[in-house]
Amino acid sequence: MSTQIEQARNAEKESPQQAVEIYKSLLLADKASTVSAADRETALLSLAALFERMQDANALTGLINSSQGFLISVPRAKSSKLVRVLVDRFSGIHGGLQPQINTCQGMIEWAKSENREYLRQALETRLVSLYLDSHMYTDALGLISKLLTELKKLDDKMQLVEVHLLESRVFMALKNLPKSRAALTSARTAANSIYTPPPLQAQLDLQSGILHSEEGDFKTAYSYFLETMEGISVYANPKGPTKGEASSDIAAARANFEQQQLEAFAYMVLCKIMTQQPDEIPSLFASGKTASKFRDHQVIIALQAVAKAQKQRSLADFEKALSMYRNELQSDETIRSHLAALYDTLLEQNLARLIEPYSRVEIAHVSKLIGLPIRVVENKLSQMILDRVLYGILDQGNGCLVIFPEPKTDSTYETTLETMKSLGNVVDSLYNKAATL
């Protein structure tokens, strides 16, 4: 390592601008200079990491664009890896999603001009995930269709798995469960014919668990989430210490794996809540060190508060937990949607229990008993009547709910139809026997 690299690293904390100037002088040095290719590569990666810490998306964009001359001079495999690392640096910058999309699109055009097909396909796969994060689903599906056509011709199984997995996530976001499941099945089919790295296999298991939970099969979903946690435990908890220049990147990757583990464990707790088994949640923390380290995380604390409210069948405590931990419970779409369904179920059960003794009751009285606004109670009662969970009418003139006894179905008509059908079968059978005589 050159003296200038060491000087720049020492200046990063005290004088970041000075470090930027040193790195740029190394990166943009003439070919005739004594700066080695290794030092220029180190300067490029260190400068990108520094811009990420400085939260400067524009400077990082400029760096990637100005480094294209250097990227042409290095071997293609190394340059492809460098481009992917540089583009991923935007992930640590607040509000860097749109600059990352723009930069990724620019580098795709550069890869096309340099005839680097492998790099272009890798960047387009990354762009699909960025479109998904920014809710640009139409653009994502268009790019996925183009990529799948190319990858099937090349028979690139590994990238096919990644693209099909992204396709499944896009359709999941669009609430198209049949197509999401079909895409996931295609991803698993491709994965079965190759060696799938554990992190990618964990992503497949996580997506399978989410799909099963959306379909109401929480027991199967729980097993997939458990597989996800175990699959990446080695990567999230490596035995050896991180040393060398790449220690910060290794730490970032470890944090990413820990975040995936936390997501899977939160879904495991959610499955216990949705299957009416809140008493089993404490036993999850005793299942190993991996689960116990998430005990004090805010998302897990929030879900435990929801589980406690569910156990006590207290709608007030449920609402209190939702309002107190709004950020934790609303940021994840899967948790938010399932808790919304659970809230509706709990509200319905509480209303049914309160109005059971009455044949006519004021809506204001029910609202007072349950502790919710009259409008909310009235809307839910009307929904229960339309869904035939409750038989009655809303007398809005008097502000009352009139409850009818559950109507008894007269089975005479259905029985008569069945008798006539059986009689017709007998007549047809007799006719067929007579025709053979």
Side-chain angles (χ1 to χ4, degrees):
M1 185 186 299
S2 69
T3 307
Q4 287 179 296
I5 294 289
E6 293 181 358
Q7 183 182 355
R9 287 186 173 172
N10 294 331
E12 283 184 7
K13 292 183 179 180
E14 297 180 359
S15 179
Q17 196 57 43
Q18 182 183 354
V20 168
E21 295 299 329
I22 297 174
Y23 285 136
K24 282 186 175 180
S25 65
L26 291 171
L27 179 61
L28 302 176
D30 296 332
K31 293 182 179 179
S33 65
T34 58
V35 180
S36 64
D39 284 345
R40 295 178 72 183
E41 179 185 340
T42 303
L44 175 61
L45 295 176
S46 300
L47 189 54
L50 181 57
F51 285 146
E52 181 185 7
R53 290 195 295 272
M54 294 169 64
Q55 298 291 299
D56 194 340
N58 293 329
L60 183 56
T61 301
L63 171 66
I64 294 174
N65 292 332
S66 63
S67 63
Q68 292 177 1
F70 168 69
L71 293 172
I72 294 174
S73 64
V74 298
R76 290 198 170 198
K78 179 173 286 188
S79 66
S80 298
K81 182 179 179 181
L82 288 174
V83 169
R84 294 197 298 272
V85 171
L86 292 173
V87 171
D88 286 341
R89 282 295 180 187
F90 284 97
S91 301
I93 299 177
H94 180 70
L97 183 57
Q98 191 57 49
Q100 189 175 18
I101 291 175
N102 297 335
T103 302
C104 195
Q105 291 171 338
M107 294 308 293
I108 288 172
E109 294 302 320
W110 176 78
K112 288 180 181 178
S113 66
E114 294 295 324
N115 198 25
R116 301 192 178 195
E117 294 300 313
Y118 176 77
L119 175 60
R120 177 186 61 79
Q121 291 170 353
L123 288 174
E124 286 180 342
T125 303
R126 184 73 180 96
L127 185 58
V128 170
S129 66
L130 296 176
Y131 282 154
L132 177 59
D133 292 339
S134 59
H135 309 293
M136 300 168 65
Y137 303 127
T138 304
D139 295 331
L141 289 175
L143 191 52
I144 284 171
S145 177
K146 173 177 172 293
L147 272 172
L148 289 177
T149 303
E150 294 180 2
L151 294 174
K152 286 176 182 177
K153 290 179 180 178
L154 296 172
D155 200 28
D156 189 344
K157 299 290 187 182
M158 184 66 71
Q159 201 159 352
L160 265 176
V161 174
E162 296 178 11
V163 176
H164 276 305
L165 179 59
L166 287 169
E167 183 184 21
S168 178
R169 289 175 177 169
V170 172
F171 282 124
M172 170 68 72
L174 294 171
K175 300 300 180 184
N176 192 334
L177 297 185
K179 287 191 175 182
S180 179
R181 177 163 291 283
L184 182 62
T185 302
S186 299
R188 286 194 170 278
T189 302
N192 288 337
S193 60
I194 59 171
Y195 168 74
T196 308
L200 182 57
Q201 184 63 48
Q203 292 182 38
L204 291 172
D205 291 335
L206 184 65
Q207 182 67 8
S208 297
I210 294 174
L211 266 172
H212 279 286
S213 67
E214 289 291 333
E215 294 172 351
D217 187 2
F218 292 102
K219 290 186 178 180
T220 306
Y222 178 87
S223 64
Y224 275 116
F225 295 141
L226 183 59
E227 288 289 333
T228 302
M229 279 196 64
E230 292 178 349
I232 55 177
S233 60
V234 177
Y235 295 86
N237 305 291
K239 294 181 180 180
T242 58
K243 294 181 180 180
E245 296 179 2
S247 60
S248 60
D249 294 333
I250 295 174
R254 183 188 301 177
N256 183 40
F257 287 129
E258 284 188 357
Q259 182 61 33
Q260 291 181 30
Q261 277 193 315
L262 173 61
E263 184 180 9
F265 184 68
Y267 291 160
M268 289 169 62
V269 176
L270 179 66
C271 287
K272 292 298 182 183
I273 294 173
M274 298 304 295
T275 53
Q276 309 290 324
Q277 295 175 316
D279 292 333
E280 296 185 10
I281 292 176
S283 63
L284 296 179
F285 297 109
S287 59
K289 294 181 179 180
T290 303
S292 61
K293 69 181 179 181
F294 298 129
R295 182 189 299 272
D296 298 326
H297 200 280
Q298 284 297 104
V299 174
I300 306 303
I301 294 173
L303 288 171
Q304 285 181 294
V306 171
K308 183 178 179 181
Q310 183 208 31
K311 182 180 179 181
Q312 296 174 351
R313 297 184 180 274
S314 171
L315 199 62
D317 289 346
F318 194 99
E319 286 190 324
K320 183 180 178 181
L322 290 180
S323 61
M324 184 180 298
Y325 301 103
R326 181 175 299 276
N327 293 334
E328 290 79 5
L329 299 177
Q330 297 292 325
S331 59
D332 189 288
E333 175 63 24
T334 302
I335 294 176
R336 187 191 63 78
S337 61
H338 286 304
L339 290 186
L342 181 62
Y343 176 80
D344 283 342
T345 303
L346 196 59
L347 176 57
E348 188 175 295
Q349 291 174 349
N350 275 264
L351 283 173
R353 178 173 54 84
L354 288 174
I355 65 179
E356 187 177 6
Y358 302 99
S359 60
R360 184 183 181 91
V361 60
E362 290 184 354
I363 299 175
H365 179 63
V366 178
S367 173
K368 183 179 178 182
L369 289 175
I370 203 169
L372 291 174
I374 294 177
R375 186 175 180 180
V376 174
V377 173
E378 188 175 327
N379 288 339
K380 186 60 183 177
L381 288 173
S382 64
Q383 182 184 343
M384 292 171 66
I385 292 171
L386 291 173
D387 292 341
R388 296 190 176 183
V389 177
L390 174 67
Y391 294 93
I393 59 170
L394 289 173
D395 185 355
Q396 292 183 325
N398 297 316
C400 293
L401 169 68
V402 181
I403 304 167
F404 302 144
E406 185 175 347
K408 296 180 180 179
T409 56
D410 189 356
S411 60
T412 305
Y413 180 71
E414 287 79 6
T415 305
T416 303
L417 287 177
E418 290 180 4
T419 304
M420 295 295 291
K421 184 178 180 180
S422 300
L423 184 60
N425 292 335
V426 170
V427 172
D428 290 342
S429 177
L430 290 173
Y431 177 81
N432 292 331
K433 287 183 178 180
T436 58
L437 294 177

